[in-house]
C-alpha cells in the first residue's frame, strides 16, 4: 500500500487550490491539468465535497527518471489532491520516499521529486497529519 502524506490547509478550499497552483508554477512546475472532481460528479447528477486534483511536473526533472526506468512514467506527472472533509481542507499526495525503487527506478532517484513537497507545505501553511 502506498504511503500518503495528508496535510491540513489553513486556507479556504478555493484559496488552497490557487495558492498551490501559484506556488508550484513559481518554482518552475507545469500544471498539466486541474480536474474539478466535484464538478464532474455534479455533471452526472451526483454530489461530493469540493475536490480538485492538480496534475503537475517538470519535464526537465521527470524525463531522466523515465529514461532510467521507463515504466516509472506511470507515476509521472505528479499529483496533489485538494479536498474538503467536514469543513477542513486537506491536501494529499504521494511523497517521493514512497516512490523509491518503484518500477525499477534506481536507488536514490525518487528523492529528486521531493522538492515539490516543501513548496506544497509552505503554500498551505499546514503541518503533517
Amino acid at each position: 500500500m502506498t504511503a500518503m502524506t495528508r496535510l491540513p490547509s489553513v486556507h479556504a478550499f478555493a484559496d488552497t487550490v490557487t495558492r498551490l497552483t501559484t506556488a508550484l508554477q513559481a518554482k518552475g512546475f507545469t500544471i498539466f491539468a486541474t480536474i474539478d472532481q466535484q464538478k464532474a460528479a455534479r455533471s452526472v447528477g451526483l454530489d461530493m465535497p469540493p475536490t480538485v486534483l492538480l496534475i503537475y511536473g517538470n519535464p526537465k526533472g521527470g524525463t531522466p527518471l523515465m529514461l532510467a526506468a521507463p515504466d516509472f512514467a506511470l507515476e509521472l506527472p505528479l499529483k496533489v489532491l485538494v479536498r474538503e472533509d467536514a469543513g477542513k481542507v486537506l491536501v494529499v499526495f504521494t511523497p517521493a520516499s514512497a516512490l523509491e525503487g518503484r518500477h525499477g527506478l534506481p536507488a536514490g532517484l525518487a528523492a529528486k521529486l521531493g522538492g515539490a513537497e516543501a513548496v506544497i507545505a509552505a503554500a498551505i501553511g499546514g503541518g503533517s497529519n
Side-chain angles (χ1 to χ4, degrees):
M1 185 171 184
T2 301
M4 301 301 289
T5 296
R6 189 172 286 109
L7 303 175
S9 177
V10 299
H11 305 283
F13 180 83
D15 290 341
T16 297
V17 173
T18 299
R19 290 176 63 85
L20 283 171
T21 300
T22 300
L24 288 166
Q25 289 174 327
K27 290 297 185 179
F29 292 97
T30 299
I31 304 296
F32 295 110
T34 301
I35 301 170
D36 185 335
Q37 294 173 322
Q38 181 187 47
K39 183 178 175 182
R42 286 182 177 162
S43 75
V44 295
L46 300 172
D47 194 26
M48 67 183 295
T51 306
V52 167
L53 182 67
L54 298 174
I55 300 175
Y56 71 95
N58 181 326
K60 188 173 183 178
T63 301
L65 279 66
M66 291 184 284
L67 290 172
D71 292 345
F72 195 75
L74 286 168
E75 305 299 335
L76 300 174
L78 297 170
K79 296 172 259 336
V80 61
L81 177 70
V82 182
R83 65 182 183 86
E84 198 170 272
D85 184 14
K88 296 179 184 174
V89 178
L90 299 173
V91 175
V92 184
F93 58 89
T94 302
S97 60
L99 299 173
E100 186 65 42
R102 238 188 226 187
H103 310 289
L105 188 68
L109 286 185
K112 294 178 183 273
L113 300 172
E117 296 171 26
V119 174
I120 291 168
I124 65 170
S128 62
N129 181 16

